[in-house]
Amino acid sequence: MLNLDIQKIRKDFPILNQQIYNKPLVYFDNGATTQKPQIVIDEESKIYSQENSNIHRGVHYLSEQLTQRYEDARKTVQKFINAPHDHEIILTSGTTESINTIAYSFGEKYVNEGDEIIISTLEHHANIVPWQMLCERKKAVLKVIPINDKGELLLDEYQKLISPKTKIVAVNQVSNALGTVNDVKKIIEIAHKNDIPVLIDGAQSVQHNVVDVQDLDCDFFVFSGHKLYGPNGIGVIYGKEKFLNEMPPYMTGGEMIKKVTFEKTTFNELPFKFEAGTPNYVAAIGLATAIDYIQELGLENIAAYEKELLDYATEKLESIEGLRIIGTAANKVCAISFILENIHHFDAGMVIDKMGIAVRTGHHCAEPLMDRFNIEGTLRASFAFYNTKEEIDKLYDAILTVKQMFG
Ligand code: PLP
């Protein structure tokens, strides 16, 4: 039994109610960014029109009120992922900044020449390049967990990569390009047996399933607000207190200090040590509003409905001759990457767009993964709980039209 009233939910998202090229918009690019419910848009607008003031600095009314709301937003994030303490939640501009912060700061403290860092073939560039740069700086070695042809990580191979020199493992919970759900609990368990901390990139997981960082026992967990129906420009680091306390700051400046003299600076306590400058307090509060909104719907309900969409779309798309799905893992979220025989993904994407359907085309910021499959890129349809089976039917028809045009 479906516990979500999709037609009612769709009315919460004003952007969905429009025509593109005189066709109702079908938005299937949710992996890139999700749309925002009116309640999030209104919250941000209300702050700017009635409550705006810089936080953590003033003793005046507006500043104190908004500081409280910012800190409440941090607590909402903490509860959302079940982090033990609110000072273990650092608010950043997004997953990219979160991973760069950890790679730099963790690297400064713990990584030396000859050390090793493990990532996987499934990573987004945001979880590759910062580690690569760190390895260059420190003369460390980057090792990569391979995958099978379905797009699943090979955990036996992962075990073999671990050595006494491994300093950190950084993998995503869900692949943005293929939709594979990784068994991160197992990955963490294996790393911890060897006393190695693990960073989980949750940019594509928090919006689809319940995440409990204590249950996972990950050492770091990062995600972006804009992929979680929240505003742009806000992201999260959860880090275990032990590491965050030992790690040096990444960015420096205002707010992150305890005392500054021209001779020496001492740093503020957590979480402020990692939040230099004026934070995006408007987006932080918007993110908390988005979290409240999806928790009201229920992530279990969202997961169940999105599974229905995935199964429906997979069956339909698989039935199209010459269409090959890239990424057929046993455990997936609702994203389907595919290629069409003898038709370039950009050409196909442009025709599909003309039918009012937004799908992603390209390498999805995962070029090494595309290389692994020996392809340049794919088309990707990534669904959200406001999408419908009727919209999937439209995509199916659009692909048939593409085939006719280029066939
Ligand atoms: N990691 C994954 C798995 C992603 O899908 C993305 C964005 O698509 C990122 C990291 C980077 O997120 P952002 O661009 O919000 O910083």
Side-chain angles (χ1 to χ4, degrees), residues 87-159:
H87 58 259
E88 294 176 310
I89 301 295
I90 316 288
L91 296 169
T92 65
S93 65
T95 306
T96 301
E97 187 183 306
S98 297
I99 299 174
N100 274 277
T101 301
I102 298 165
Y104 179 85
S105 170
F106 182 93
E108 279 301 290
K109 175 74 188 171
Y110 302 107
V111 178
N112 294 304
E113 188 169 341
D115 284 341
E116 294 167 1
I117 288 158
I118 297 179
I119 59 170
S120 91
T121 309
L122 289 176
E123 301 315 309
H124 185 283
H125 295 164
N127 200 30
I128 301 174
V129 187
W131 302 111
Q132 232 167 21
M133 303 280 289
L134 169 64
C135 287
E136 273 178 31
R137 276 198 311 275
K138 296 283 185 154
K139 298 192 174 58
V141 180
L142 194 64
K143 292 185 159 184
V144 183
I145 309 169
I147 54 171
N148 62 20
D149 289 341
K150 292 176 171 178
E152 296 166 324
L153 293 180
L154 297 173
L155 294 189
D156 288 348
E157 298 299 318
Y158 161 56
Q159 299 237 27

Side-chain angles (χ1 to χ4, degrees), residues 48-198:
Y48 283 126
S49 54
Q50 295 171 27
E51 303 173 15
N52 185 48
S53 179
N54 208 333
I55 60 166
H56 290 147
R57 340 194 145 183
V59 288
H60 61 79
Y61 179 84
L62 286 180
S63 177
E64 283 193 346
Q65 292 290 313
L66 213 56
T67 300
Q68 188 56 50
R69 296 201 64 204
Y70 179 75
E71 291 306 324
D72 287 347
R74 194 191 306 280
K75 288 193 176 77
T76 301
V77 172
Q78 175 207 346
K79 292 200 186 89
F80 178 58
I81 55 171
N82 195 30
H85 309 292
D86 59 354
H87 58 259
E88 294 176 310
I89 301 295
I90 316 288
L91 296 169
T92 65
S93 65
T95 306
T96 301
E97 187 183 306
S98 297
I99 299 174
N100 274 277
T101 301
I102 298 165
Y104 179 85
S105 170
F106 182 93
E108 279 301 290
K109 175 74 188 171
Y110 302 107
V111 178
N112 294 304
E113 188 169 341
D115 284 341
E116 294 167 1
I117 288 158
I118 297 179
I119 59 170
S120 91
T121 309
L122 289 176
E123 301 315 309
H124 185 283
H125 295 164
N127 200 30
I128 301 174
V129 187
W131 302 111
Q132 232 167 21
M133 303 280 289
L134 169 64
C135 287
E136 273 178 31
R137 276 198 311 275
K138 296 283 185 154
K139 298 192 174 58
V141 180
L142 194 64
K143 292 185 159 184
V144 183
I145 309 169
I147 54 171
N148 62 20
D149 289 341
K150 292 176 171 178
E152 296 166 324
L153 293 180
L154 297 173
L155 294 189
D156 288 348
E157 298 299 318
Y158 161 56
Q159 299 237 27
K160 288 185 211 155
L161 293 180
I162 289 180
S163 87
K165 291 185 170 174
T166 311
K167 285 292 149 81
I168 190 165
V169 175
V171 292
N172 62 40
Q173 189 166 19
V174 169
S175 151
N176 63 306
L178 307 185
T180 309
V181 179
N182 294 314
D183 187 352
V184 290
K185 203 161 174 180
K186 183 100 205 206
I187 290 171
I188 293 163
E189 213 179 275
I190 293 168
H192 283 181
K193 273 195 192 128
N194 295 277
D195 280 334
I196 302 163
V198 181

Side-chain angles (χ1 to χ4, degrees), residues 5 18 26 53 94 112 126 134 137 170 189 212 229 234 244 262 286 342-343 345 363 376 390:
D5 182 344
Q18 66 173 301
V26 174
S53 179
N112 294 304
L134 169 64
R137 276 198 311 275
E189 213 179 275
D212 180 333
Y229 309 96
I234 189 76
L244 293 179
F262 284 120
N342 298 329
I343 305 173
H345 48 272
H363 54 59
E376 240 181 78
E390 291 71 36

